[in-house]
């Protein structure tokens, strides 16, 4: 009984240390934690205690683990959220569509990195074929609903290929909120054709396992989207709510 209490006490101590480090900026969102073996040595505890602490923080969405890569500070922790309840079940974020767009961009960039790191090449080639086919068939006469379906499918497919189910669930919610923005994007023929060209190059970069280039092109894509939205800035100021009661 005493050993169990001591183990629980040490687990909570490690949880508190990690949360404190994040709050003070010693550990940044997206930063990789040391291995469990290294943390066990640093804290002078068993790996079981370390695993329990990390599992608790993952459950609160403060940390996230990618199979074959390691454990990271959740890159989407918001300064507007208290870490003690960040991404906890039942959390609802009240924001604007502009805030949600920025969040989706963070997820997008992280998804590109994860694809380069661990996605099978065959899946990337399938995405490449889908992207090239739509680009080649895209004309000014392409119906709006086909453009919207492609844009949504492309975005969700990229996030799905990251292998992170939590990101997938969040992106499904974000697409529901920002559908007006997506419709505006695909309606601008010239800009959207440029976006499709960027998508082709971005998928090629993924195929080459070039994360830096893929992320650079992802940001170039965002700049084109900003150019479209600038014509109707009110799209970014609509209030919305996102329910984070999602299972991982």
């Amino acid at each position: 009984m005493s050993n169990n209490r001591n183990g629980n006490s040490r687990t909570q101590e490690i949880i508190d240390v990690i949360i404190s480090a994040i709050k003070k900026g010693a550990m940044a969102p997206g930063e990789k934690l040391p291995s469990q073996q290294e943390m066990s040595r640093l804290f002078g505890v068993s790996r079981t205690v370390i695993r329990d602490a990390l599992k608790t923080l993952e459950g609160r969405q403060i940390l996230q683990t990618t199979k074959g890569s390691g454990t990271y500070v959740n890159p989407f922790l918001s300064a507007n959220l208290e870490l003690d309840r960040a991404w906890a079940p039942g959390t609802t974020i009240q924001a604007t569509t502009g805030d949600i767009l920025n969040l989706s961009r963070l997820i997008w960039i992280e998804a590109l990195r994860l694809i380069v790191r661990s996605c099978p090449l065959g899946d990337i080639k399938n995405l490449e074929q889908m992207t090239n086919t739509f680009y080649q068939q895209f004309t000014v006469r392409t119906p709006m609903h086909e453009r919207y379906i492609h844009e949504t499918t492309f975005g969700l497919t990229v996030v799905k290929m990251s292998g992170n189910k939590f990101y997938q669930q969040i992106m499904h919610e974000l697409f529901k909120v920002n559908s007006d923005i997506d419709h505006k994007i695909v309606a601008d023929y010239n800009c959207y054709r440029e976006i499709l060209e960027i998508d082709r190059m971005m998928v090629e970069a993924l195929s080459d396992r070039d994360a830096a280039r893929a992320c650079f092109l992802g940001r170039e894509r965002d700049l084109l989207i900003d150019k479209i939205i600038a014509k109707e800035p009110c799209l970014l100021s609509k209030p919305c709510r996102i329910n984070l009661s999602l299972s991982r």
Side-chain angles (χ1 to χ4, degrees), residues 32-225:
K32 185 176 181 179
L33 273 67
S35 67
Q36 291 185 16
Q37 183 176 356
E38 180 67 11
M39 292 180 70
S40 175
R41 185 184 66 79
L42 290 171
F43 285 101
V45 298
S46 69
R47 291 182 65 177
T48 299
V49 172
I50 296 296
R51 279 196 297 270
D52 288 345
L54 297 183
K55 185 176 180 180
T56 298
L57 290 170
E58 283 184 64
R60 291 159 63 179
Q61 309 302 341
I62 293 173
L63 301 179
Q64 62 180 43
T65 296
T66 301
K67 187 176 181 180
S69 177
T71 300
Y72 298 79
V73 179
N74 187 335
F76 311 119
L77 285 177
S78 168
N80 297 322
L81 292 175
E82 290 294 330
L83 274 176
D84 293 339
R85 59 186 291 275
W87 303 93
T91 298
T92 298
I93 294 179
Q94 295 187 5
T96 65
T97 46
D99 295 327
I100 299 305
L101 178 63
N102 289 333
L103 176 57
S104 67
R105 287 173 172 177
L106 288 172
I107 294 176
W108 177 271
I109 292 299
E110 181 65 13
L112 294 177
R113 294 193 182 105
L114 290 174
I115 290 172
V116 168
R117 191 181 301 154
S118 58
C119 184
L121 184 58
D123 290 348
I124 299 175
K125 291 298 183 183
N126 288 338
L127 178 65
E128 190 171 20
Q129 182 178 0
M130 181 189 85
T131 306
N132 288 335
T133 298
F134 187 80
Y135 176 79
Q136 291 163 5
Q137 296 175 349
F138 182 70
T139 70
V140 70
R141 294 186 178 87
T142 301
M144 290 300 161
H145 72 274
E146 290 186 14
R147 302 182 191 188
Y148 178 74
I149 289 172
H150 173 79
E151 178 68 11
T152 304
T153 302
F154 181 76
L156 292 177
T157 299
V158 167
V159 176
K160 181 178 180 180
M161 288 168 59
S162 74
N164 189 305
K165 292 184 178 180
F166 181 63
Y167 292 174
Q168 294 173 45
Q169 292 172 309
I170 289 292
M171 283 299 283
H172 273 287
E173 294 297 310
L174 300 186
F175 268 108
K176 294 176 187 177
V177 171
N178 274 354
S179 60
D180 287 349
I181 292 178
D182 289 331
H183 278 101
K184 183 63 65 175
I185 291 169
V186 301
D188 189 315
Y189 172 77
N190 291 325
C191 279
Y192 192 53
R193 187 164 189 84
E194 289 185 59
I195 287 173
L196 293 176
E197 176 63 29
I198 287 176
D199 289 347
R200 293 177 67 223
M201 293 187 290
M202 184 165 55
V203 177
E204 286 178 5
L206 294 176
S207 183
D208 293 337
R209 303 296 185 184
D210 189 341
R213 178 162 172 74
C215 291
F216 171 79
L217 290 166
R219 295 186 180 96
E220 288 293 301
R221 189 184 208 276
D222 290 340
L223 290 175
L224 278 172
I225 290 173

